[in-house]
Amino acid sequence: MFRTTMAGLRLHKGRLVTTALAIALGVMFVAGTLVFSDTLSAAYSARVMGSADSLEAVARPAYDGTQDGEEDLPAGVLDDIRALPEVDGADGIIKGNAGLLDKDGRAVGTIPTAGISVGGVIRHRADEGALPKADDEAALATVTADATGYGIGDTITVLDAEGERHEFEVTGLIDVGVDAELAYRGAVAFTHETAAAMTGRDDFSEIDVVGTEGTPDQQVADAVAGAAGDRAEVVTGQVMGEELARDSGGQVGLLGTALLLFALISVLVASIVIYNTFAILLAQRQRELALLRCVGASRGQVFRSVLLEALIVGLVASALGVLAGIGVGAAGAWFGGEA
């Protein structure tokens, strides 16, 4: 049967090449769309959503509707969250004033630059260079670096809560995404201990949480909400990321969904082409198949030979389509990212 199948493939290679091309193009479109959309989503998450969707839960101070109703979360809340069995790791963000001076010794901006703590599971990551690890190191928000001309390796001067000057070496740049406050004020990032000393604050404006492996995000968020109580508003990282994206006017996954719809349409068209091609092949091979029956081949053997022929063409063409799709999708994401 296998020899008969291979002979059929060689005999009708012209039409089968057309069929294989239709399969490969359809699969390539789907695979390329998935690679393209996933790659752009990851870049979008890191740059626009501040990697919030990489967390299982985020706790923020609850707001009761009054001007002074929002207070930072005390350190005890972080200890309670870390003790939860659903939590693998948690860290809090300290945020306060840390006035950055420009190269002429003048304050940057009309209001003091924000000082924040980074490291651990906190969602802010270094876009270039590395996060600070020593007391005399700091990282700058990319918007702050662009406005001041500071870069990695430069020495900056920052005012603490008492107005005293301190010098730090810039180790990295942080993309704060669409955080409106940090994008407007700018930010200088320190280690946890240095941020507390520079801002004069010990409490947290946000607590980022990573859950234990296999625990659903919502279950982690519910456990964190129970530990934090009424003092905190707790959402999953995905929800927070979507909120940030929505506030910025972004639609996460919209482009990928649209492209995937076009890909599915291409697969549907390809399936019609494939069906028609095999229908024509079978019609043209009536004498050949009848001859096989005359020389002793059973109906099942004839059917299986045709089915095996279609399976071989489908597998080979699909494999080539997946490889081509990965390449096309990666190239599209690279060119899209460069643009």
Side-chain angles (χ1 to χ4, degrees):
M1 184 178 66
F2 182 76
R3 290 181 178 179
T4 303
T5 300
M6 297 307 296
L9 289 173
R10 289 192 298 269
L11 184 62
H12 304 281
K13 55 181 177 295
R15 288 192 178 276
L16 290 177
V17 166
T18 304
T19 304
L21 182 61
I23 297 172
L25 289 176
V27 173
M28 181 188 71
F29 203 169
V30 174
T33 298
L34 294 175
V35 172
F36 178 76
S37 58
D38 285 351
T39 304
L40 286 189
S41 293
Y44 191 88
S45 168
R47 294 183 176 272
V48 180
M49 298 166 68
S51 296
D53 61 343
S54 65
L55 304 169
E56 273 66 56
V58 177
R60 297 171 291 186
Y63 181 62
D64 63 6
T66 64
Q67 184 175 358
D68 299 324
E70 185 175 350
E71 298 180 355
D72 285 348
L73 300 172
V77 173
L78 178 59
D79 294 334
D80 293 340
I81 291 174
R82 284 175 171 171
L84 294 171
E86 295 87 355
V87 172
D88 185 54
D91 284 297
I93 297 178
I94 293 175
K95 182 167 66 176
N97 294 333
L100 174 66
L101 303 183
D102 63 18
K103 295 181 178 180
D104 296 323
R106 298 171 299 188
V108 174
T110 56
I111 58 176
T113 309
I116 61 173
S117 62
V118 293
V121 303
I122 290 175
R123 59 188 173 90
H124 295 302
R125 298 287 183 264
D127 192 51
E128 297 180 34
L131 295 178
K133 295 182 180 179
D135 293 342
D136 61 347
E137 295 179 345
L140 294 176
T142 52
V143 291
T144 306
D146 292 340
T148 60
Y150 287 124
I152 296 174
D154 290 343
T155 298
I156 59 173
T157 302
V158 185
L159 302 179
D160 64 16
E162 303 298 327
E164 297 292 331
R165 297 188 177 205
H166 301 265
E167 291 188 346
F168 300 90
E169 179 186 353
V170 178
T171 60
L173 303 180
I174 297 174
D175 193 334
V176 296
V178 293
D179 189 311
E181 179 185 2
L182 296 183
Y184 175 71
R185 294 178 60 184
V188 185
F190 310 97
T191 62
H192 180 87
E193 294 77 11
T194 304
M198 291 296 295
T199 63
R201 306 173 75 101
D202 294 318
D203 296 338
F204 306 112
S205 63
E206 175 182 314
I207 296 177
D208 295 339
V209 181
V210 173
T212 54
E213 185 176 356
T215 305
D217 291 7
Q218 191 59 55
Q219 184 177 337
V220 176
D222 292 341
V224 171
D230 296 335
R231 293 169 294 188
E233 172 194 7
V234 181
V235 296
T236 64
Q238 182 66 35
V239 169
M240 182 178 180
E242 290 172 354
E243 289 177 359
L244 291 172
R246 185 172 60 249
D247 292 342
S248 71
Q251 296 292 329
V252 181
L254 183 60
L255 177 61
T257 301
L259 289 175
L260 187 58
L261 287 176
F262 283 111
L264 293 177
I265 292 174
S266 74
V267 170
L268 177 61
V269 173
S271 66
I272 295 174
V273 173
I274 295 165
Y275 174 81
N276 289 335
T277 300
F278 272 97
I280 294 171
L281 282 175
L282 289 176
Q284 291 179 339
R285 295 170 61 185
Q286 285 183 352
R287 291 184 179 179
E288 174 188 336
L289 298 177
L291 180 60
L292 290 174
R293 292 281 284 143
C294 290
V295 297
S298 66
R299 178 188 295 270
Q301 288 177 319
V302 173
F303 176 78
R304 286 193 295 273
S305 68
V306 174
L307 189 62
L308 181 59
E309 182 180 312
L311 182 61
I312 292 173
V313 173
L315 287 176
V316 173
S318 296
L320 293 176
V322 169
L323 294 176
I326 292 173
V328 170
W334 186 82
F335 282 113
E338 289 292 313

